[in-house]
């Protein structure tokens, strides 16, 4: 029996690609169905200040992650907090913290510190 890839015609190659695409689509759909609803963010909210932007992916009050980035691309000490969640400080131009929790706090905040001074704090309402 010959390998369909050795046939040299476009029909066999197209059939192999179509089967691979169908299998990949089925795997992706299966992954989406098996993921818990609380882990899938329904929206991403963000807000920018003069020096930083804060983004959060969440589903209602379940916050998946918080991202803080500087607008000028220069590094500084970044941190985030939400309710009783306090992130470690990171010296970078962009940082992401996986939270994966639900709290009643309505504000997700990020802050930038440079040269020992707090430059800006920005909060997002969820």
């Amino acid at each position: 029996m010959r390998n369909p890839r050795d046939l040299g015609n476009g029909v066999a190659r197209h059939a192999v690609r179509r089967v691979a695409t169908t299998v990949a689509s089925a795997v992706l759909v299966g992954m989406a169905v098996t993921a818990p609803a609380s882990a899938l963010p329904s929206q991403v909210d963000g807000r920018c200040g003069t020096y930083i932007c804060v983004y959060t992916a969440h589903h209602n009050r379940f916050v998946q992650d918080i991202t803080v980035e500087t607008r000028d691309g220069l590094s500084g000490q970044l941190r985030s907090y939400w309710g009783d969640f306090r992130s470690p400080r990171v010296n970078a131009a962009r940082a992401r913290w996986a939270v994966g929790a639900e709290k009643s706090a309505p504000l997700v905040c990020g802050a930038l510190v440079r040269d020992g001074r707090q430059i800006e704090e920005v909060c997002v309402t969820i």
Side-chain angles (χ1 to χ4, degrees):
M1 182 174 194
R2 298 176 82 188
N3 186 344
R5 293 181 187 181
D6 295 336
L7 293 177
N9 62 19
V11 175
R13 281 191 291 257
H14 179 69
V16 170
R17 274 191 230 121
R18 187 173 52 207
V19 168
T21 303
T22 304
V23 170
S25 298
V27 169
L28 289 175
V29 168
M31 288 172 51
V33 170
T34 60
S38 61
L40 299 173
S42 62
Q43 70 188 87
V44 175
D45 285 328
R47 184 166 180 213
C48 291
T50 306
Y51 300 100
I52 63 171
C53 291
V54 178
Y55 304 100
T56 181
H58 63 93
H59 178 76
N60 296 328
R61 297 275 184 205
F62 182 87
V63 172
Q64 185 175 11
D65 64 48
I66 302 169
T67 302
V68 180
E69 65 183 5
T70 60
R71 293 185 73 180
D72 58 8
L74 301 174
S75 64
Q77 267 191 356
L78 300 175
R79 65 184 176 98
S80 68
Y81 54 93
W82 172 57
D84 61 356
F85 170 79
R86 301 283 188 261
S87 71
R89 292 176 186 236
V90 175
N91 193 19
R94 183 177 195 268
R96 179 183 170 270
W97 296 273
V99 179
E102 185 171 1
K103 301 180 188 315
S104 61
L107 296 176
V108 175
C109 300
L112 170 65
V113 175
R114 285 186 177 151
D115 297 326
R117 296 181 314 141
Q118 181 162 323
I119 302 299
E120 186 174 38
E121 178 180 74
V122 175
C123 294
V124 177
T125 304
I126 60 168

